[in-house]
Amino acid sequence: MELNVIVKTISKYWPMFLRGAGVTLYISTIGTIVGFIIGLLIGVIRTVPVPEKGIKKFILKIINAILSVYVEVFRGTPMIVQAMVIYYGSKQAFNIDMSPLFAGIFIVSINTGAYMAEIVRGGIVSIDKGQFEAAYAIGMSHNQAMINVVLPQVIRNILPATGNEFVINIKDTSVLNVIAVTELFFQTKSVSGINYKYFETFFIASVIYFVMTFTVTRILRYIERKMDGPENYILYANQMQVQTPEDAVRKNSDKR
Amino acid sequence: MEKIIEVQHLSKTFGTNEVLKDIDFSVNKGEVVCIIGSSGSGKSTLLRCINLLEKPSGGKIIYKGKNILDDEHDLRAYRTKLGMVFQQFNLFNNHNVLSNCMVGQIKVLKRSKEEAKEIAMKYLKVVGMEQFINAKPRQLSGGQKQRVAIARALSMDPEVMLFDEPTSALDPEMVGEVLKVMRELAESGLTMLIVTHEMGFAKEVADRVVFMDKGVIAEEGSPEQIFNNPAQERTREFLKRTLQQN
């Protein structure tokens, strides 16, 4: 490896790397967020208590069947194949002309959604039954219990798994080069096709990938800590009930 | 005396296991009823059937002249009238103490935030937890959690409070603080239905004691009658066993 080759490659082709990294981050961020929302919805639907009889039970059963087909199919096939099938398939069979970028986001989203659905379902199942019971006991409906009590806890608990998905997405968007999405891998391939310095060029790409995934992991850890709230709490003397903890802190710092 | 809840011919089976057999039982307004009995006698199941956390297999639960089991619609309104305190506290882990007592009022009773806060603070003072309103459940001791759980239930202004072995998951030294709160509530005239293993407490606080054995109500009567002069052999047996342990 020659350092000057790396320096030269960067100084000459940095706009391509930057654009590639931008597209990679764009696709994986949107894909993870949309996938997270899909997963949340599916996870919630799949844990709705089944009524004992009636048309509702029938409808719920059909929806659940469709959802499990979706989850199984998209977990059970490689994303690179999904990309080919959806991108070229939609063009040839349905005459839908997607841009590669849109197709990329679409594929990453539904792929992530399939994984997240199971993660969310696991998160909901792992919440203590007592949380639901306490919510029902004060008169909440299943939906109210979900929204106000269970889901906030689930989201906190599945954040590490979501971070995992995010990191995987940053790396796996590289397979989208098969449908000519101009993400980082595609750009790197283009650069190395021009300068024929495969090792150095791809070394640069690997560094960029690592910086992106590492940064994302750190940010998510920070969010987790934020969600956990402070380790300590402030005791309230009786006359200070209208204060918020922020007020109390401000007041104390004013005194000093 | 006015009956608040009346249970008629209630039965509950889990698979082939008949946990409750043809229970007839009622709670009168202003009354403190303690249900005692050995583990597996069905006392907790009876309590959980009354607020429908378990669906009864048969029978009726009459509240205000209506059978609650007939109409799914009234179910949630009915539950708000029953305050439930669990053995395992079951405080909402994502809410702090104050918001645990407010979320039900706001979402279910549609009270305003200010009103909900005022009421929550009132009951948190009753249980002596008003200093801890910013604490999360994981930062509290068992006794503190249970007192918050009682305040949460009271905040919904229930007509009946149901206690499902409220002190069974507590360290011995914390049992006292919870029982003290419950004693005060009983003295204030609140209608209470308590499943408990605290015989001393039952003897002191209850207006009526119900002894359950193998899914049936074996005996019921005043505390003096049950504890000092039980009519049934199995009641005597049970009391002898539990009192020996203490």
Side-chain angles (χ1 to χ4, degrees):
Chain A
M1 177 166 66
E2 287 174 64
L3 204 64
N4 63 336
V5 176
I6 292 181
V7 172
K8 229 161 71 189
T9 310
I10 292 174
S11 60
K12 199 166 174 194
Y13 298 107
W14 65 267
M16 286 180 83
F17 284 115
L18 198 64
R19 222 174 302 134
V23 171
T24 290
L25 218 48
Y26 180 64
I27 294 177
S28 47
T29 308
I30 307 252
T32 308
I33 292 171
V34 175
F36 183 77
I37 294 166
I38 295 175
L40 219 50
L41 288 175
I42 295 178
V44 167
I45 293 171
R46 294 234 278 179
T47 49
V48 168
V50 182
E52 275 170 40
K53 51 186 181 249
I55 188 89
K56 267 189 181 164
K57 180 185 178 181
F58 185 66
I59 294 171
L60 200 62
K61 262 198 160 162
I62 290 177
I63 292 174
N64 275 334
I66 294 170
L67 292 181
S68 46
V69 168
Y70 160 70
V71 170
E72 295 303 334
V73 166
F74 280 91
R75 278 201 314 183
T77 52
M79 193 155 84
I80 192 165
V81 177
Q82 291 165 15
M84 296 298 267
V85 170
I86 290 174
Y87 182 63
Y88 291 111
S90 63
K91 213 173 258 181
Q92 286 170 7
F94 303 105
N95 254 331
I96 304 168
D97 207 359
M98 288 191 264
S99 74
L101 184 67
F102 177 81
I105 292 173
F106 181 73
I107 290 153
V108 173
S109 298
I110 52 176
N111 194 281
T112 311
Y115 281 96
M116 287 305 298
E118 285 302 279
I119 293 172
V120 171
R121 197 171 65 89
I124 293 171
V125 171
S126 72
I127 295 288
D128 180 23
K129 232 178 108 205
Q131 297 283 311
F132 274 110
E133 287 187 347
Y136 294 155
I138 59 172
M140 283 191 189
S141 64
H142 178 79
N143 290 345
Q144 282 177 324
M146 256 310 172
I147 292 166
N148 294 301
V149 177
V150 176
L151 277 188
Q153 297 180 45
V154 169
I155 290 172
R156 164 64 190 91
N157 291 348
I158 65 172
L159 259 189
T162 311
N164 228 350
E165 279 300 312
F166 200 169
V167 167
I168 290 171
N169 279 343
I170 289 176
K171 297 187 293 180
D172 282 7
T173 43
S174 57
V175 306
L176 296 174
N177 77 85
V178 296
I179 55 168
V181 179
T182 54
E183 39 70 51
L184 185 53
F185 183 83
F186 185 89
Q187 297 285 45
T188 313
K189 218 167 63 171
S190 307
V191 171
S192 61
I194 302 167
N195 68 359
Y196 294 111
K197 303 283 183 195
Y198 286 92
F199 175 48
E200 286 82 357
T201 313
F202 277 97
F203 181 76
I204 294 167
S206 67
V207 171
I208 298 174
Y209 272 118
F210 180 77
V211 169
M212 286 196 290
T213 53
F214 190 73
T215 314
V216 163
T217 324
R218 293 292 108 183
I219 291 173
L220 280 165
R221 279 295 297 154
Y222 176 76
I223 295 174
E224 271 177 47
R225 275 201 303 274
K226 272 269 138 157
M227 282 183 88
D228 285 343
E231 272 304 304
N232 304 307
Y233 54 89
I234 299 167
L235 279 184
Y236 271 14
N238 275 341
Q239 66 272 25
M240 287 163 66
Q241 276 148 15
V242 282
Q243 257 184 352
T244 65
E246 289 77 25
D247 289 338
V249 170
R250 218 174 293 131
K251 217 174 194 176
N252 288 340
S253 55
D254 284 350
K255 276 181 199 158
R256 261 173 239 146
Chain B
M1 255 196 287
E2 186 194 340
K3 279 179 188 168
I4 293 190
I5 300 170
E6 191 175 0
V7 171
Q8 293 174 352
H9 305 294
L10 190 78
S11 64
K12 173 71 188 174
T13 50
F14 291 109
T16 54
N17 185 13
E18 217 178 355
V19 185
L20 294 177
K21 299 165 197 162
D22 198 27
I23 301 266
D24 283 307
F25 171 73
S26 63
V27 185
N28 301 319
K29 200 172 168 63
E31 196 181 28
V32 178
V33 182
C34 284
I35 305 179
I36 59 171
S38 47
S39 302
S41 59
K43 22 184 224 314
S44 283
T45 308
L46 173 60
L47 204 69
R48 291 167 58 84
C49 277
I50 286 177
N51 74 353
L52 302 183
L53 284 177
E54 304 289 352
K55 202 169 187 297
S57 314
K60 287 179 180 174
I61 297 173
I62 315 267
Y63 170 75
K64 293 215 165 131
K66 261 194 283 184
N67 182 8
I68 297 302
L69 300 178
D70 280 348
D71 191 356
E72 285 280 324
H73 232 73
D74 293 329
L75 172 63
R76 279 189 274 144
Y78 165 71
R79 273 180 175 156
T80 64
K81 296 290 171 199
L82 308 176
M84 180 81 172
V85 176
F86 297 88
Q87 184 178 357
Q88 298 295 342
F89 330 122
N90 295 348
L91 290 181
F92 303 139
N93 292 327
N94 56 322
H95 292 275
N96 66 18
V97 166
L98 182 62
S99 136
N100 254 288
C101 300
M102 283 170 64
V103 63
Q105 297 186 62
I106 294 169
K107 301 292 174 190
V108 180
L109 301 180
K110 308 289 178 205
R111 286 177 181 158
S112 73
K113 260 195 167 152
E114 294 74 32
E115 193 189 0
K117 184 169 180 184
E118 202 175 303
I119 293 169
M121 285 308 299
K122 182 174 115 191
Y123 288 112
L124 283 168
K125 259 182 221 168
V126 168
V127 300
M129 286 298 291
E130 78 275 17
Q131 287 194 316
F132 295 86
I133 56 176
N134 286 313
K136 284 279 179 80
R138 65 185 148 89
Q139 296 165 323
L140 300 176
S141 73
Q144 291 173 327
K145 279 186 210 171
Q146 196 59 298
R147 284 188 282 150
V148 173
I150 292 172
R152 174 177 69 182
L154 288 171
S155 297
M156 303 295 287
D157 290 327
E159 287 184 32
V160 186
M161 284 286 281
L162 310 177
F163 293 85
D164 186 9
E165 303 189 25
T167 58
S168 298
L170 295 177
D171 290 337
E173 52 188 321
M174 287 166 185
V175 171
E177 61 185 83
V178 172
L179 290 185
K180 181 171 160 272
V181 168
M182 290 171 63
R183 203 170 288 133
E184 284 164 10
L185 291 177
E187 279 161 12
S188 75
L190 191 69
T191 312
M192 291 160 76
L193 180 56
I194 307 166
V195 171
T196 186
H197 288 292
E198 298 285 333
M199 295 305 149
F201 177 75
K203 201 171 178 176
E204 175 194 351
V205 169
D207 297 312
R208 182 153 56 98
V209 176
V210 174
F211 171 66
M212 283 188 70
D213 186 46
K214 295 186 183 124
V216 295
I217 292 180
E219 191 171 353
E220 63 176 303
S222 69
E224 293 80 31
Q225 189 187 328
I226 298 285
F227 287 108
N228 300 339
N229 197 12
Q232 301 265 349
E233 181 57 36
R234 44 185 170 174
T235 316
R236 230 168 289 149
E237 283 280 307
F238 169 76
L239 288 172
K240 210 167 103 189
R241 249 181 297 139
T242 47
L243 293 178
Q244 260 168 8
Q245 280 163 13
N246 291 340

